Amino acid sequence: MCLSRGEWINNMAAKPITIAGGGLAGLTLGIGLRRRDVPVTVWEAGHYPRHRVCGEFISGRGRETLSQLGLRELLERAGAVNAGTAAFFSATQSTPPRSLPVRAICLSRFVMDQLLANEFQKLGGELRVGRRWPAVEVHASACSDRPKPELQPEGIVHATGRRLQTKEGGARWFGLKAHARNVSLAADLEMHVSPRGYVGLCRVEGGAVNVCGLFRRRVGGEHTPHNWREWLRGQGGSPLNRRLAAAEFDESSFCAVAGISLRPQSAAARAECCVGDAITMIPPVTGNGMSMAFESAGMAIEPLAAWSRGEISWAETRQMLACRCDAAFARRLAWAKWLQRMMLTPSLQNILVRFVSRSEWFWRMAFERTR
Ligand SMILES: Cc1cc2nc3c(=O)[nH]c(=O)nc-3n(C[C@H](O)[C@H](O)[C@H](O)COP(=O)(O)OP(=O)(O)OC[C@H]3O[C@@H](n4cnc5c(N)ncnc54)[C@H](O)[C@@H]3O)c2cc1C
């Protein structure tokens, strides 16, 4: 990269930013900052490309945010599928395909994270793969066990993804995902609910179907399936089981996560500067977590660039970002919590599917409020 004298002087004066975590939020933020000539290093504990547990369905403001960040075309050139319909299934009820009020984008994380990592490096970002950012020991004050914001090192942004939680209300959450072939879908997204959790199916690049489920296992609870295929295929006789009857799973794409916390958190409560799931995780049923990762990264670019130029303090940067994120996400988090609770209550599942089937107003309202 050839810099003019002015750009060189600017670069020398700019304070560097370190991003811990090279998932969607960290890489998107890194790209945005590099476009403003901020020196950035991203630390990523894993490697690229890699599969991740994710429904791979970017809905809500995600598509528009990607356009604003100049990244949508990159994803579309890589074969991202545009999705326009969704259908919902319980054990006994189903909806016809419903039009999505805003179109979604489906692309595997295997391709997407690698694309963003390449773009970040192309823009001059430093990417340290296989390097875990150390958890900093920050001593709490005598009267509170929460680390103080002013004790956090400056210039570090946490994009380390979801926080671990082993149990929530006596149950353990875990997620499974694998790509499959030989599956035909009734809509661009199929969402199947069952007493165990829910499974989403959507087509990604190259004609594969992503099969991704979030499940709840009660500690010391009922009989559970023996392997991941049984979990993903659903109970015998269910619409999901029929849909996946001839599915051929790609073993190499299988992955699993556990220790998921779905309790909404506020960015202002965090001592660190955070983006993406490191702030909070929205229930995956909304297909909005990736959008929130892109949105929060987008909201972080200007304050962090201003800090890098020495225009605002680190405390102001952190506060500005936290206020923006909380204002943008609080309402959808509250609605998503309510929707997820309904979807996981067996006695309400059929009612919910019937409502979506019969009422365009209800469907649009539930979609809009959770995004
Ligand atoms: C079952 C399930 C289904 C989902 N389905 C969807 C869906 O359909 N649509 C949707 O929009 N969202 C979905 N999500 C949510 C979505 O996957 C997340 O919201 C999104 O990945 C958040 O991006 P992120 O960059 O914040 O975190 P991540 O993508 O998790 O990235 C965090 C990165 O940080 C790295 N890291 C962690 N700690 C360190 C460290 N100390 N040092 C260095 N690196 C570190 C990790 O290796 C990882 O690469 C789903 C989630 C689950 C669990």
Side-chain angles (χ1 to χ4, degrees):
M1 189 166 44
C2 190
L3 300 180
S4 69
R5 188 165 175 274
E7 283 171 332
W8 187 80
I9 290 169
N10 268 349
N11 248 7
M12 292 304 288
K15 286 186 274 184
I17 286 178
T18 300
I19 301 172
L24 301 182
L27 291 169
T28 305
L29 175 59
I31 290 169
L33 290 172
R34 280 307 304 140
R35 288 191 183 137
R36 281 155 186 78
D37 291 326
V38 176
V40 191
T41 304
V42 170
W43 288 53
E44 167 52 41
H47 292 87
Y48 308 98
R50 77 276 205 254
H51 286 283
R52 293 189 67 82
V53 175
C54 183
E56 302 181 338
F57 185 83
I58 306 171
S59 90
R61 290 163 210 256
R63 199 159 166 263
E64 181 195 323
T65 308
L66 283 167
S67 296
Q68 286 162 1
L69 294 168
L71 294 172
R72 188 169 136 200
E73 215 189 302
L74 191 72
L75 270 51
E76 286 179 342
R77 265 190 273 128
V81 175
N82 268 291
T85 56
F88 297 82
F89 301 81
S90 66
T92 58
Q93 307 274 328
S94 66
T95 69
R98 281 267 179 216
S99 280
L100 292 167
V102 179
R103 289 183 81 80
I105 295 183
C106 310
L107 185 67
S108 72
R109 294 292 300 270
F110 191 80
V111 168
M112 190 163 21
D113 291 43
Q114 172 82 74
L115 273 180
L116 296 177
N118 292 348
E119 184 69 11
F120 173 64
Q121 285 180 298
K122 216 164 79 189
L123 291 165
E126 187 184 342
L127 183 57
R128 299 191 181 170
V129 290
R131 300 286 300 277
R132 179 167 288 278
W133 181 256
V136 183
E137 280 286 318
V138 179
H139 298 289
S141 66
C143 51
S144 153
D145 58 3
R146 185 182 291 171
K148 291 191 157 201
E150 61 269 25
L151 296 178
Q152 295 291 319
E154 296 192 356
I156 315 291
V157 181
H158 291 253
T160 44
R162 70 200 165 78
R163 283 179 264 173
L164 285 176
Q165 168 123 2
T166 48
K167 263 192 271 173
E168 208 165 87
R172 289 199 170 101
W173 292 103
F174 62 97
L176 304 174
K177 102 94 184 264
H179 286 175
R181 297 207 168 262
N182 217 12
V183 182
S184 52
L185 301 178
D188 295 331
L189 170 73
E190 285 194 9
M191 183 60 77
H192 295 258
V193 293
S194 79
R196 288 181 194 149
Y198 46 81
V199 174
L201 311 177
C202 72
R203 199 165 295 287
V204 290
E205 76 282 357
V209 166
N210 183 39
V211 183
C212 180
L214 181 77
F215 304 100
R216 191 174 40 173
R217 191 177 203 162
R218 294 240 156 254
V219 182
E222 76 284 9
H223 163 77
T224 49
H226 290 109
N227 62 45
W228 59 267
R229 279 185 203 73
E230 280 185 42
W231 279 99
L232 287 177
R233 283 185 192 277
Q235 282 159 315
S238 65
L240 174 63
N241 194 268
R242 286 197 294 275
R243 183 68 79 231
L244 296 178
E248 293 156 16
F249 283 105
D250 167 9
E251 302 265 337
S252 68
S253 67
F254 168 71
C255 43
V257 284
I260 297 170
S261 167
L262 297 174
R263 194 167 294 156
Q265 310 283 339
S266 99
R270 298 296 307 263
E272 312 92 356
C273 198
C274 297
V275 286
D277 278 6
I279 303 173
T280 189
M281 195 175 162
I282 191 165
V285 67
T286 58
N288 200 241
M290 290 189 280
S291 178
M292 283 173 57
F294 297 129
E295 288 175 65
S296 58
M299 286 186 267
I301 295 168
E302 283 311 331
L304 287 166
W307 174 81
S308 173
R309 293 190 299 266
E311 292 166 10
I312 55 175
S313 71
W314 186 249
E316 286 167 322
T317 309
R318 199 195 65 81
Q319 202 178 8
M320 198 183 289
L321 174 58
C323 287
R324 286 182 182 185
C325 289
D326 286 343
F329 302 147
R331 188 182 82 152
R332 73 179 93 161
L333 285 166
W335 279 88
K337 185 177 160 197
W338 169 86
L339 179 69
Q340 153 122 334
R341 193 169 291 171
M342 280 187 75
M343 286 190 70
L344 290 169
T345 306
S347 58
L348 295 178
Q349 288 174 341
N350 286 338
I351 298 171
L352 199 62
V353 173
R354 218 175 303 139
F355 259 135
V356 174
S357 184
R358 293 193 183 159
S359 167
E360 177 71 16
W361 171 84
F362 179 81
W363 158 237
R364 285 189 165 267
M365 188 272 296
F367 184 93
E368 188 264 323
R369 295 285 158 92
T370 50
R371 284 157 183 92

